[in-house]
Every structure is written in structure tokens, then in C-alpha cells.
Amino acid sequence: MILAGGKGTRISEYSEKIPKPMIPAVDKPILMHIVDIYRKYGKSNFLVLAGYKQEVICEYFQNNYKKISTTENRYKLDKKAEITVLDTGPESMTGWRVKKGIEYLDEEEIHLTYGDGLANININKLEEFHKEHKPLATVTAVRPPARFGYLELNNQNVTKFGEKDNSMEGWINGGFFIINKGVHSFLEGENGIFERRPLEELSKKNKLNAYRHYGFWQHCDTIRELQILEKAIIDNKLES
């Protein structure tokens, strides 16, 4: 499942007209780069949790792929893979979108990620980690991209001056979840935010594990971050 329903207001230069996951990065929408990450590891059934301007997403697939359902927005990517665009509401929060996705699918274990973040993550190793520890949910923990150089101070004296280095940072939610269908019972109504009560409760009950990803990861909230993402694609940093 790919979360693709938010309004993406921080990158309004694009999101006033198209959903953030449809922003072109080098040669295709960010959404399709995400699909490629999973397809590299044999994943073939994709569900886009759409909302804001979901018709733009449908139009993209309508123009580039074959529609294979008369009742749903389902498209064939090729002989092995297909993608469905599920309208989860233009104003819904992430918890509701995830809830609707779980209800739509039959699978017990589901990959879930955000429609604006790319990484050179090894999906096989993520799955092995999840199977080994057997939580209700696994989140991929990443280092936040370093924004500033750092200083070490002793009173007024700078004792160390360092360039930008994300190894100095903590860990943040990088998406690329695996969730068990049992997560559904932790989800709330249309205003429920997945990253708040559901994940907080899972954490308190020791049912949320973190898979540490030390490689490339970049989300896209601003034009500057889009430029970083595009350079990473050109430099083949998505290769795991």
C-alpha cells in the first residue's frame, strides 16, 4: 500500500495541481519510483491509498497502462504486476487511509509506505527482520538528512566544527512498514492519524519494531528536497 492522499501543502508549487506522489522526478512520478523499489524484490500487487486529486493518479494510469476492471480503478502494469487506485477520501487522515486499505486487501501481512519517500532499502532483509521478530508492525528507521553543520562548544569557544553529517542525528520514521492485518483494531475514524495513537499504542504494547536502514533515504517536502531526490536518482543511489 502506498499512501498518496494528502494535500502536500509544503510543496504547493506542484501540489496545487497534482498530488505530491505524482510530482515528476527525473523521468517519472515519485510514485512509480516507489513501485520500482518493490518490484525489484518481486512485489506485484499495489494499492494506492488516494484522496486529494485522485483523478490525476487515475488519469496517469489510464494514459499509460491498460485498465482491467469496469468497477474499480485497476490497471495492468505488465504480465506480472497490477496497481489499484483506491479513493480513501480527500480530507481523510493517514489512519483512515490505512484502515480502508487493510479492509480492501485479503493479505495478512502488508507492505506500507509513504508516496513521497525513496530509499535504497533491501526489501528482502526488511521482510526477514519482520518474520524473525513477529511484531504487529515494523517501521523502517532512518537517519534524518543532515541540514546543518554542527558545533561543539565550551563556553564561548568552538571546540569542534563539523560539516553536515546525518550520523550525528537520531532515528526517524522512514516509512517502508510491514503491518499485520491485526493493526486494523488500533485504527480509528476518518480523523485518525496513523503516526499518533495507533503507532504509539503499538509501541507501548511492544508490538512495533524498528528495522534500521543505514543507506540512502530521502523524502520530498520542498523543491530543494526534490532536487536532492532527482540527483540521487541520476547518481543511482536507489540501487541497494
Side-chain angles (χ1 to χ4, degrees):
M1 300 193 298
I2 303 172
L3 283 160
K7 293 184 178 180
T9 53
R10 282 180 284 186
I11 192 165
S12 59
E13 297 92 335
Y14 283 98
S15 62
E16 285 184 357
K17 296 181 179 179
I18 61 176
K20 187 159 61 166
M22 298 308 293
I23 292 173
V26 181
D27 58 345
K28 56 193 168 189
I30 295 172
L31 176 68
M32 296 310 295
H33 287 288
I34 295 169
V35 168
D36 287 345
I37 291 170
Y38 284 101
R39 292 207 62 191
K40 180 179 177 180
Y41 293 92
K43 307 307 170 190
S44 59
N45 183 24
F46 296 89
L47 182 65
V48 179
L49 304 176
Y52 172 71
K53 293 190 180 297
Q54 61 99 22
E55 69 279 0
V56 175
I57 302 176
C58 292
E59 183 180 2
Y60 172 83
F61 288 109
Q62 187 78 42
N63 291 339
N64 292 280
Y65 300 96
K66 180 181 179 182
K67 191 173 184 181
I68 55 175
S69 173
T70 57
T71 58
E72 297 180 300
N73 292 311
R74 185 181 300 170
Y75 307 88
K76 199 78 172 173
L77 298 180
D78 59 24
K79 291 182 180 179
K80 294 182 179 180
E82 63 181 56
I83 192 163
T84 302
V85 182
L86 182 68
D87 185 3
T88 58
E91 303 294 335
S92 304
M93 297 291 109
T94 50
W96 179 258
R97 299 190 196 284
V98 173
K99 186 175 184 178
K100 293 291 103 181
I102 291 175
E103 291 170 356
Y104 179 86
L105 296 171
D106 293 326
E107 284 81 1
E108 286 298 315
E109 302 281 352
I110 305 166
H111 284 276
L112 167 70
T113 197
Y114 299 106
D116 63 351
L118 301 179
N120 64 341
I121 184 170
N122 187 312
I123 299 297
N124 288 344
K125 289 183 179 179
L126 171 62
E127 288 183 340
E128 289 168 7
F129 177 89
H130 182 78
K131 289 174 183 177
E132 177 185 354
H133 296 281
K134 298 181 175 63
L136 271 182
T138 294
V139 58
T140 295
V142 299
R143 299 286 196 184
R147 296 178 60 201
F148 309 104
Y150 70 93
L151 304 176
E152 290 183 11
L153 305 178
N154 182 12
N155 295 322
Q156 75 274 13
N157 297 320
V158 177
T159 58
K160 190 170 184 179
F161 184 94
E163 291 299 315
K164 297 177 183 179
D165 180 4
N166 70 353
S167 67
M168 301 293 292
E169 307 288 343
W171 295 93
I172 62 170
N173 166 16
F176 295 96
F177 297 87
I178 298 178
I179 60 173
N180 184 281
K181 204 159 189 174
V183 167
H184 184 273
S185 64
F186 289 80
L187 300 173
E188 303 165 305
E190 196 166 352
N191 294 320
I193 298 173
F194 181 59
E195 298 80 6
R196 292 191 183 167
R197 182 181 170 277
L199 291 185
E200 289 170 1
E201 288 297 313
L202 285 167
S203 176
K204 289 177 184 176
K205 296 178 183 294
N206 294 319
K207 295 181 181 296
L208 174 65
N209 282 0
Y211 171 78
R212 290 178 175 86
H213 173 63
Y214 293 91
F216 172 79
W217 175 87
Q218 179 65 52
H219 71 314
C220 180
D221 260 349
T222 65
I223 294 295
R224 173 60 182 151
E225 288 168 346
L226 176 60
Q227 292 169 344
I228 294 170
L229 202 58
E230 289 186 309
K231 186 177 187 307
I233 293 169
I234 292 169
D235 293 344
N236 292 318
K237 287 188 177 180
L238 292 183
E239 297 300 316
S240 57

